[in-house]
């Protein structure tokens, strides 16, 4: 049981690292597109300006960060609840 708990703890750390990496990379690319501009990107047959794609990339980075971080915190909370239940039993 201790091995599976350790595995899940490592998984929460990996999720937290992925959240920060996702935020950093997507915001960096989004800012590059926002500042630099560029050619329009065809999405679904519509030409979307590169600056709008940069803004959407920053927004997506924030959303992915929130989701990954939230999931890691929920798993940590479940581990804490499990530890309390097994300690009191």
């Amino acid at each position: 049981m201790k091995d599976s708990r350790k595995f899940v703890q490592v998984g929460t750390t990996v999720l937290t690292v992925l959240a920060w990496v996702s935020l950093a990379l997507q915001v960096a690319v989004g800012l590059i597109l926002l500042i630099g501009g560029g050619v329009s990107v065809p999405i679904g047959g519509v030409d979307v300006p590169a600056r709008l794609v940069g803004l959407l990339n920053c927004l997506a980075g924030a959303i992915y960060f929130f989701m990954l971080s939230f999931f890691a915190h929920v798993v940590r909370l479940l581990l804490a609840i499990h530890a309390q239940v097994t300690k009191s039993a």
Side-chain angles (χ1 to χ4, degrees), residues 12-26 61-62 64-70 72:
T12 60
T13 304
V14 168
L15 282 174
T16 304
V17 169
L18 283 177
W20 282 105
V21 168
S22 173
L23 180 69
L25 288 178
Q26 287 198 277
Y64 291 153
F65 173 77
F66 175 76
M67 288 176 27
L68 289 168
S69 182
F70 179 76

Side-chain angles (χ1 to χ4, degrees), residues 26 29-31 33-34 49-61:
Q26 287 198 277
V29 170
L31 288 176
L33 285 173
L34 269 173
R51 291 177 196 253
L52 180 61
V53 172
L55 181 66
L56 292 174
N57 207 357
C58 288
L59 181 64

